[in-house]
Every structure is written in C-alpha cells, then in structure tokens.
Amino acid sequence: MKNRLQETLIDLIRIDSVSKNSNKKIIEYLSTILSNAQFELELLKYIDPAGIEKYNLIAHKGTSPGGLAFLCHSDTVPLATKEQLNPTITDGKIYGRGACDMKGPMAAAIWAGVDSESNLPLTYIITADEEIGCEGAEYVVKNSKLLKKYSPQYSIATEPTELKPIYAHKGLGSITVTANGTAAHSSTEKGVNANFKIAPFLYFISTLREKYNSNKSYQNSEFTPPTNGLNMVISDFNCALNITAARSRCSVSFRSMPNARTEDILEEITDAANRLGLTITSKLYDSLYTDPHNNFVKYVEDITKSKAGTVPYLTDAFHFKANNPIILGPGSINQAHTENEYIDIKELNRGYSIYKQIIKNPI
C-alpha cells in the first residue's frame, strides 16, 4: 500500500522538470503542500540564458531567525527514455527520473517538516538549475528576502548519501581555451592551423596532471580520491582533413578542494594560455567545507549513527556556506542519473524519520 510520501514522490516524478524546461509546475505543486501547512512563501522567478522561466521557492515557518533549512533542487538531468516520467514500483523500489536525485529526498524532507510539532524555525529552499550550474541557488542567495530575514543557522542539502552525513564536497573549475587560425585548403599553405597553435597548451595540461597527481600540496586526503581529477576535452569543430583548422578549443576541468591550491591551479592554467596568445574564459564552482566537529554535525552523526564524511561531486550547497550546510539524504549516488534510477522505499521512509528526528529537538 502506498502512503502519502510515496504518492507525493510518484506525483513529482510524473512532472517533467528536466533542467532545460521550466520548473513552474513542480514548484506550484510543492507550493500547495507548504502553503496548506501554513508556511510563508516567497517565489523568485528568473529567465535563464535560453529564455526559459525558472522558479525558486523559499518557504518558512516560525517567527524567530535561525533554525534549520532544507536545501533542495527541483530539476533533474535529461530523460534516458520517456518512460522515466511513468514511475513504477517493483521489489520495494520506486523507479523514475529524479526518484533518487532528488525528488525522493525532497519529498521526505518536506513531509517531515509539515508533520513536525517542533517549534524550531524551519525553512525550505527549493531551487532551479542545480544540475546545469547551480544558477538557482546563486539567485536565491542574492535576492531572497526570507533567507536574509530568517538566516537559518544550519542547513541540510537533501542529496542522496545513503543517509550518511557529509560535511564537505569538491568544487569544479571549468576553463575554456580557444586558438584562432585561418581556414584554407591545406595544399596551398596559405592557412593558419589553430590546432598547431593550441598543441603546446595541450602538452602543458598533460604535465600539470602528472604534477597534481604526484604533489600532495595539490591534494586533500579527506576526500576519496584525494586528487583533483584534472581533465580536458578538445575540438576543432569537425574540421576536414584537407582544411587548416580555423578554430580549436580545449575545455579543462578540475575538482577543487579546500586547502589544495585552487587559486594556484587557476593561475598556472591562465598564465600558460596567455603566454601562448590563446583566448581563455573560466568559472569556479566552489567546494564546500563545514567544520566536522561543530555541534550540528555531531548531532546528526548521533541520530544517523554514521560518521560524517566527504564526497567528490558538486552540489549547490556551497552557495549557502553562511548556513553551515551538510549533505544528507536517502538513496545512493550510484542510482542518480542512471537509466534505471530508483529509490528504495524502506530507505525513503527512514529518511523521513531521520529528518523528522533532526527537526524535533532545537539545536
């Protein structure tokens, strides 16, 4: 028999909230639940670069500042098949896009708060576009009046962690380097091949990878793996073999970590591109590090009976560092984004119980 939490998750899966689309319908659905539970609501709309309307929902209950916030995102990665919008229940698992990341954990957190009789000030921050750059969270931090007014003391990002608390995650440095040449028939020797111009940069990046993987000052042993995963992808835009490439691009990424020389890495790569006369753009999504010895982390460790750890992936929790975030949710990252994405119903229900227990006692 399906309970209210399962029914909510099934409804959420049926709503297509892939990042490229508007998330208006799922935000309207969640707004109804929270409004009926007497939460004060704030809706923040913005237009994404493709001209699509996106919505962030901030909901608060309680008259005093502080308390706890749940950090959730409403979007999902693209569908593997259209059937992922038709949730199924098999062998005690709910299947569908977003079941694990993160519609299941989000539903558990919302119902835990709605059902709670605690006087703890409680806030929900439900964002757009986490899967494609965390723009929704950034917009909330800059523009939310409720967030500024109530300023939650602690927060939980409801990503799937198998209900093990996480105090730190890696960030992401993204760098794009472009070489420009002149297209011509290769037999004429009149062209300028952009691939030759960018080749020294590619070699330099390969030497950096060797350095970063052997020099511990660029690593952080609190993470698995402790290295920054320097990676690159190259393209000359499918230039034909008998044409000198007019443009060549190298996209470089690395997983930034606290105390692992992030600024030095950006400077090394930028300086190399500038020396070679290449065009460069970059963006850094910050890592997250919440003191694993603070009272809230210890409180959640006691409730979950799990020691707090770290994860190598990125979440939008880093935008909420002022609210001392940790990451905690039912489900496994191993199921997230997969063709057969699912969440185990027993773990979903346990997530609800743990969230409710966390809310129960003021911190």
Side-chain angles (χ1 to χ4, degrees):
M1 179 181 294
K2 295 189 290 290
N3 61 23
R4 180 188 53 184
L5 172 55
Q6 293 173 43
E7 293 283 4
T8 298
L9 174 53
I10 287 169
D11 287 345
L12 293 175
I13 292 172
R14 286 176 176 149
I15 300 172
D16 183 351
S17 59
V18 172
S19 303
K20 68 181 179 65
N21 303 323
S22 176
N23 65 333
K24 183 178 181 180
K25 288 184 179 179
I26 192 169
I27 291 296
E28 288 176 340
Y29 181 98
L30 297 170
S31 295
T32 298
I33 295 175
L34 291 165
S35 177
N36 288 342
Q38 308 305 310
F39 278 77
E40 179 182 0
L41 303 186
E42 178 184 28
L43 195 63
L44 297 177
K45 182 180 80 170
Y46 66 96
I47 307 298
D48 75 8
I52 305 298
E53 289 184 344
K54 299 295 177 67
Y55 294 84
N56 299 302
L57 174 64
I58 302 89
H60 180 83
K61 180 181 280 190
T63 57
S64 60
L68 176 67
F70 284 100
L71 311 175
C72 313
H73 65 82
S74 61
D75 62 318
T76 71
V77 295
L79 304 174
T81 69
K82 290 184 179 180
E83 288 304 308
Q84 287 193 303
L85 295 177
N86 297 315
T88 59
I89 299 178
T90 305
D91 297 329
K93 302 177 179 68
I94 298 177
Y95 288 81
R97 176 56 82 223
C100 171
D101 185 11
M102 62 163 34
K103 292 179 177 181
M106 176 169 63
I110 287 174
W111 281 117
V114 169
D115 292 343
S116 175
E117 297 178 356
S118 171
N119 293 322
L120 180 73
L122 191 59
T123 304
Y124 290 92
I125 299 171
I126 304 171
T127 61
D129 290 342
E130 190 269 352
E131 298 288 4
I132 55 172
C134 306
E135 281 82 0
E138 183 176 3
Y139 193 88
V140 168
V141 170
K142 290 179 179 178
N143 296 285
S144 173
K145 294 179 180 178
L146 283 187
L147 179 60
K148 290 180 175 65
K149 179 179 179 180
Y150 293 111
S151 187
Q153 184 177 5
Y154 300 106
S155 57
I156 296 174
T158 60
E159 297 283 354
T161 67
E162 301 178 51
L163 291 169
K164 298 173 183 176
I166 300 298
Y167 66 87
H169 70 59
K170 293 184 180 182
L172 178 67
S174 177
I175 303 157
T176 301
V177 173
T178 304
N180 293 304
T182 304
H185 196 289
S186 59
S187 67
T188 68
E189 296 282 6
K190 293 181 178 180
V192 177
N193 194 317
N195 286 333
F196 290 139
K197 293 177 71 174
I198 207 169
F201 179 79
L202 304 181
Y203 174 74
F204 176 74
I205 294 298
S206 71
T207 65
L208 284 186
R209 179 172 172 80
E210 293 175 6
K211 180 169 76 170
Y212 297 160
N213 284 353
S214 61
N215 187 330
K216 291 188 177 181
S217 70
Y218 292 95
Q219 302 174 17
N220 186 325
S221 61
E222 291 181 74
F223 290 90
T224 303
T227 48
N228 65 24
L230 184 69
N231 191 36
M232 70 176 177
V233 176
I234 57 177
S235 172
D236 64 3
F237 304 89
N238 297 315
C239 183
L241 187 59
N242 60 352
I243 300 174
T244 53
R247 187 168 49 146
S248 187
R249 176 173 293 168
C250 175
S251 298
V252 179
S253 68
F254 68 95
R255 297 287 174 169
S256 61
M257 295 171 284
N259 305 313
R261 302 180 63 176
T262 295
E263 295 303 322
D264 289 344
I265 294 169
L266 288 171
E267 184 176 347
E268 286 177 312
I269 296 173
T270 300
D271 287 351
N274 288 334
R275 284 196 308 271
L276 294 166
L278 307 175
T279 301
I280 182 169
T281 60
S282 63
K283 184 165 185 177
L284 178 65
Y285 301 93
D286 207 358
S287 57
L288 171 70
Y289 191 94
T290 297
D291 182 359
H293 304 293
N294 79 27
N295 290 338
F296 183 61
V297 174
K298 294 302 180 184
Y299 172 67
V300 175
E301 284 181 331
D302 288 343
I303 289 174
T304 60
K305 296 179 173 54
S306 296
K307 185 171 178 59
T310 67
V311 290
Y313 53 79
L314 176 74
T315 81
D316 60 9
F318 75 89
H319 280 297
F320 300 94
K321 288 183 178 181
N323 309 107
N324 298 298
I326 63 168
I327 309 168
L328 178 74
S332 169
I333 194 65
N334 294 324
Q335 273 79 57
H337 302 187
T338 64
E339 184 173 351
N340 294 311
E341 182 175 353
Y342 70 83
I343 192 165
D344 185 277
I345 292 173
K346 288 183 179 179
E347 183 154 339
L348 179 67
N349 292 335
R350 182 169 174 253
Y352 164 86
S353 298
I354 285 175
Y355 288 149
K356 194 172 180 184
Q357 191 174 353
I358 291 171
I359 297 168
K360 182 178 180 180
N361 296 313
I363 302 154

